[in-house]
Amino acid sequence: MPHNTMTSNRTPFVKEPLQVLAGKLPPDLHGHVFVAGPSVHAGSPALASDGLVLRLDFDGAQATFSSNIMETPSYYARQPVNAGETSRGPLTRYLNEFRDTTLSDVSIALGAQEAPNTAPFLVEGENMLLVTTDAGRPWAIHPRTLKPYTPLGYLREWKPAIPTPWGFPLLQTTAHPAFAPEAAEPISPEKGSQQKPRLFFTNHAPKWPLGDGWTQLAAWDTWENRLHHWQLMDAASGKPVVTQSLHQIAVTRDYVVLLDSNFPVNFWNIAVQAALPGMTRVQRWVDKLTSKATYPQAVFWVVRRADLRPSPGTLSRDNPPMVPAHRFQSGGGGLHFAARYENPDDVITLVAGHSPSEDLSHSIREGDLLINGNRAQAYQDGMPTAVPVTRSALGVHHIDMRRLRIESKQYSNDDYTWGLTVFSNTGLINGELETNLRLFLREVPRPPGNEGLPDWAIPEEALAVYFNSDGFTADMVPEYVYQLYKPIVGDREGLPIREGRAASFFKFFVNTGRFEGYVLPTGWFGFAPQFVPSIKLPKVPYWKGYLVALVVSDPTPDLPPDSTGDEVWIFDSENLGKGPICRLGSKNFDVGMTLHTTYLPPGLEDILTGHVPDDPPYSVDVRDDYDVDEMQKEYEAWLPGLFPRIPQALFFPWRLGVRWVLNFPRLRQVFEQAVYPNFTSGRPKKREE
């Protein structure tokens, strides 16, 4: 694993040139690839780091990149709080400081930092480009400056995962929302002002020591700018659905599918990391003692879209109506899957990456005993345990909702399916690519002779997904993680501990199970592959074009002069095995580990920009969202609310202690000086009839 994986440049860049290091830039490669990831540095858990957003721009003749850090209200508050501006002494400073955990930076007294760092996502109905996280709300960004300007929904619209009065509550949602590509329409002719749900999230909490957990499916109304909730109930047992993690969901014409994924949250682990900073031995002991293996099989929950009817009750985050969810399981565990939008005869087709022992709830610490007998080095400190200790597989699943059964086939390849992480698509995931292209074809003028619409039907023999594989690196597998999954994996003698497996990019053909791909050279690691169609559409089918990927290696004398070891590689989508046809780099291009991507055709920036950031069509009033007076009321009322029969006067010491610890006059000053000025105040604007 390259050391460069855990380094990144936090300096913002605007249209910084990318030099051609080898090959030639394709003249029909146009548009923008947006990339989200953590701004990593060794010693801090990677997946909880501040968000870093990149935009790669192509016009056929040159390439540039822009970058920015995702600066949210909790980001701006963290620095003065950690500098002691709200503390009255060592104890209050200890209680207020934000500290690294594997989920987010957490303050015992103030809560969890919201750090969107996972996936960019275009919401056509709002003309919004979002950046998401599993531990917070999605945030809309300005597509040119990459600056975040509003979350989606007020805090009061989301139910916290932990029922505390934190000013920065911990929210759990999906990092991969689902957007149905059909046009917005009323739920029924009788209710013409109520929108049929088409933009879906989750709002959930796993079971933890002080709570049984709950799972809600949420939908954002792009007409009324409101969040609706439905509590999920197991259709078979009638019991509430409780999940360990919901990293990704998908939508089909008639159903919403949720994957209970390999990203469990261990609240004991997070609590000890926040409460006992620097005590790594104690933290690791608690991690080993309290961690449980993820599910050995993927668990899918399916909800009928017809059951999701907005009402006054669905606006409640605390007591929404219940809807049935049907449970199916198959294959190994996993993080990511794709769903074909059409579900003929009520049969849903899913393609899932199954890595049954890929558990992202842990991070490597310096000194950890590894599976090969070595010890983890300083540069690895904070890396997620993303390398599974068994070979992965691609699963193609057909869920028959009439008969309530699942049929599955799994496909493996020793070159490509060791550690399946992120993937791109040519139209499988909720019609995302087609939606973006339709917006482009409708709104952006095209040169004469290039008019017309493409055939939106991808031939069955060409239907494919693009994945990257982590390969297998024994230096990334702690011994205690192997022991956790030994009942699934079996004896270590069957693992390629000495020889390993290289990282790769590959194309998987859904209907034949065929693999085509490229194995990266030794010393290189790949992230974030993104399919980009040729700008020559409709002459060139929209499912043919290029794969744009970020790759990382450590600097060596063999690298081109303009390469830091972090590069952009471009592949011909119809011949990945040929290797990169163009390599791009810059002395300022240092991004380290990245996660997910999306593609926007050229010319959409003006449409998405609109009046952002001065007068956006939707904007949360951050001053209202983080009202310090309301925070004080919530903190002071929290403990009395847990014991309503006890006389309120007896809670005077609690209220006094809250005021002493939180130091509300100084906290208010932090918000007035460091938070509010960075956001445009605004109110949601409703659709004009």
Side-chain angles (χ1 to χ4, degrees):
M1 182 64 67
H3 295 213
N4 249 3
T5 303
M6 287 295 287
T7 67
S8 60
N9 189 344
R10 292 173 63 93
T11 304
F13 289 97
V14 179
K15 293 283 188 178
E16 183 74 9
L18 286 168
Q19 307 299 327
V20 175
L21 307 176
K24 183 180 179 181
L25 194 65
D28 57 336
L29 177 61
H30 289 241
H32 315 281
V33 173
F34 288 83
V35 185
S39 56
V40 293
H41 60 277
S44 179
L47 295 182
S49 299
D50 297 331
L52 174 66
V53 179
L54 300 168
R55 189 185 67 244
L56 308 177
D57 302 315
F58 304 97
D59 66 5
Q62 61 180 355
T64 63
F65 80 94
S66 302
S67 63
N68 195 49
I69 298 296
M70 290 291 291
E71 298 162 331
T72 61
S74 50
Y75 170 93
Y76 285 113
R78 180 187 62 187
Q79 183 174 351
V81 167
N82 283 6
E85 293 188 16
T86 61
S87 66
R88 302 179 189 271
L91 178 58
T92 55
R93 184 164 185 166
Y94 162 78
L95 293 173
N96 282 305
E97 276 186 344
F98 288 87
R99 303 185 185 91
D100 292 340
T101 78
T102 52
L103 182 66
S104 173
D105 285 5
V106 173
S107 162
I108 296 174
L110 288 169
Q113 181 181 340
E114 205 166 41
N117 63 8
T118 308
F121 184 79
L122 174 65
V123 181
E124 183 202 10
E126 288 282 16
N127 284 353
M128 274 184 172
L129 183 62
L130 304 178
V131 179
T132 66
T133 173
D134 291 279
R137 296 168 294 179
W139 274 76
I141 64 170
H142 190 295
R144 287 184 178 166
T145 65
L146 306 180
K147 181 179 175 62
Y149 65 89
T150 185
L152 201 68
Y154 282 80
L155 288 171
R156 57 179 173 264
E157 296 182 73
W158 295 86
K159 185 176 180 178
I162 300 177
T164 61
W166 279 344
F168 298 107
L170 174 61
L171 306 174
Q172 283 201 266
T173 183
T174 176
H176 298 282
F179 180 70
E182 73 260 14
E185 59 180 294
I187 190 70
S188 67
E190 298 77 27
K191 298 181 178 181
S193 63
Q194 291 189 354
Q195 187 183 82
K196 178 182 178 181
R198 61 172 185 152
L199 174 57
F200 299 96
F201 299 88
T202 62
N203 191 189
H204 63 274
K207 185 176 182 178
W208 66 300
L210 300 180
D212 292 330
W214 42 269
T215 303
Q216 294 179 3
L217 185 60
W220 181 256
D221 187 318
T222 60
W223 286 350
E224 297 294 333
N225 297 309
R226 295 191 294 188
L227 196 67
H228 292 268
H229 302 256
W230 294 268
Q231 178 86 18
L232 297 190
M233 172 189 68
D234 188 335
S237 67
K239 296 180 180 179
V241 171
V242 179
T243 54
Q244 60 179 2
S245 176
L246 292 168
H247 181 66
Q248 183 165 13
I249 63 176
V251 62
T252 74
R253 184 169 293 281
D254 299 305
Y255 302 95
V256 181
V257 185
L258 302 86
L259 170 61
D260 197 346
S261 51
N262 292 11
F263 204 165
V265 177
N266 184 337
F267 284 109
W268 287 114
N269 201 19
I270 294 167
V272 75
Q273 289 170 347
L276 301 175
M279 300 183 67
T280 55
R281 290 188 178 181
V282 176
Q283 293 174 8
R284 182 56 82 221
W285 178 79
V286 171
D287 190 0
K288 294 178 181 178
L289 186 66
T290 60
S291 292
K292 297 181 180 179
T294 59
Y295 300 146
Q297 288 191 308
V299 176
F300 299 100
W301 293 94
V302 181
V303 179
R304 298 180 189 275
R305 290 180 64 186
D307 292 335
L308 305 174
R309 301 185 65 83
S311 68
T314 60
L315 295 174
S316 169
R317 68 175 194 177
D318 296 311
N319 190 30
M322 301 190 78
V323 296
H326 299 269
R327 187 181 189 275
F328 302 89
Q329 69 178 44
S330 184
L335 284 169
H336 299 108
F337 74 104
R340 297 197 69 171
Y341 182 68
E342 298 298 340
N343 48 255
D345 300 320
D346 292 311
V347 175
I348 303 167
T349 300
L350 308 177
V351 182
H354 294 297
S355 297
S357 55
E358 182 176 20
D359 186 343
L360 297 183
S361 62
H362 313 278
S363 60
I364 297 173
R365 303 301 297 263
E366 182 180 2
D368 277 350
L369 178 64
L370 303 172
I371 195 173
N372 57 4
N374 295 337
R375 295 280 177 177
Q377 303 300 302
Y379 83 93
Q380 295 175 274
D381 198 336
M383 285 185 178
T385 53
V387 174
V389 286
T390 186
R391 191 167 68 178
S392 306
L394 267 296
V396 179
H397 308 284
H398 300 284
I399 298 178
D400 188 331
M401 288 300 295
R402 294 181 184 176
R403 297 173 178 83
L404 295 180
R405 66 186 184 190
I406 185 170
E407 296 180 356
S408 305
K409 290 184 179 180
Q410 294 200 65
Y411 304 86
S412 294
N413 184 292
D414 202 51
D415 286 332
Y416 303 127
T417 56
W418 281 92
L420 300 178
T421 49
V422 299
F423 66 100
S424 179
N425 69 94
T426 57
L428 269 173
I429 305 178
N430 309 324
E432 178 184 349
L433 176 63
E434 290 93 337
T435 298
N436 297 358
L437 288 175
R438 286 190 182 103
L439 185 62
F440 163 70
L441 295 172
R442 185 172 68 244
E443 301 288 348
V444 178
R446 287 178 287 160
N450 202 36
E451 299 91 347
L453 296 176
D455 180 0
W456 294 112
I458 301 174
E460 289 296 306
E461 67 274 10
L463 191 64
V465 291
Y466 297 89
F467 257 94
N468 81 302
S469 166
D470 288 344
F472 181 86
T473 307
D475 273 335
M476 288 287 292
V477 183
E479 175 68 20
Y480 82 94
V481 173
Y482 165 72
Q483 293 296 333
L484 189 63
Y485 287 95
K486 188 175 180 180
I488 299 173
V489 175
D491 194 271
R492 74 183 70 215
E493 300 302 320
L495 301 174
I497 293 177
R498 291 188 177 182
E499 65 275 24
R501 290 292 184 273
S504 64
F505 297 112
F506 68 91
K507 185 176 183 178
F508 173 74
F509 291 87
V510 175
N511 290 300
T512 63
R514 183 165 57 92
F515 293 85
E516 290 181 1
Y518 175 77
V519 176
L520 274 69
T522 299
W524 290 88
F525 196 82
F527 297 101
Q530 177 60 49
F531 172 78
V532 178
S534 168
I535 198 62
K536 293 180 180 179
L537 64 90
K539 294 180 181 178
V540 175
Y542 76 93
W543 40 269
K544 290 185 178 181
Y546 302 96
L547 194 70
V548 177
L550 301 184
V551 295
V552 175
S553 73
D554 288 327
T556 68
D558 296 330
L559 288 177
D562 287 313
S563 176
T564 61
D566 292 21
E567 297 180 8
V568 179
W569 286 8
I570 301 168
F571 297 81
D572 181 346
S573 71
E574 301 306 295
N575 190 0
L576 297 184
K578 182 181 178 180
I581 58 176
C582 182
R583 290 170 54 185
L584 302 170
S586 164
K587 293 180 179 178
N588 293 321
F589 193 67
D590 180 14
V591 297
M593 186 180 84
T594 56
L595 296 176
H596 294 278
T597 63
T598 195
Y599 165 71
L600 266 64
L604 290 187
E605 284 181 309
D606 291 334
I607 298 167
L608 294 178
T609 298
H611 300 289
V612 175
D614 299 323
D615 185 25
Y618 172 81
S619 179
V620 160
D621 185 343
V622 171
R623 184 179 290 272
D624 182 14
D625 207 31
Y626 294 94
D627 185 314
V628 179
D629 292 334
E630 290 299 318
M631 285 185 198
Q632 182 172 349
K633 293 177 183 178
E634 289 287 334
Y635 276 99
E636 292 184 4
W638 180 66
L639 190 61
L642 297 179
F643 303 97
R645 296 184 178 181
I646 297 178
Q648 295 294 301
L650 297 180
F651 290 100
F652 176 74
W654 164 258
R655 291 189 288 270
L656 193 65
V658 163
R659 294 171 191 172
W660 181 72
V661 171
L662 274 300
N663 196 354
F664 290 105
R666 298 294 296 273
L667 183 62
R668 186 177 294 104
Q669 187 175 343
V670 165
F671 275 89
E672 291 286 353
Q673 296 179 356
V675 178
Y676 300 148
N678 291 291
F679 298 93
T680 302
S681 295
R683 295 285 181 178
K685 299 179 181 179
K686 294 187 177 182
R687 178 180 65 127
E688 294 183 4
E689 298 293 343

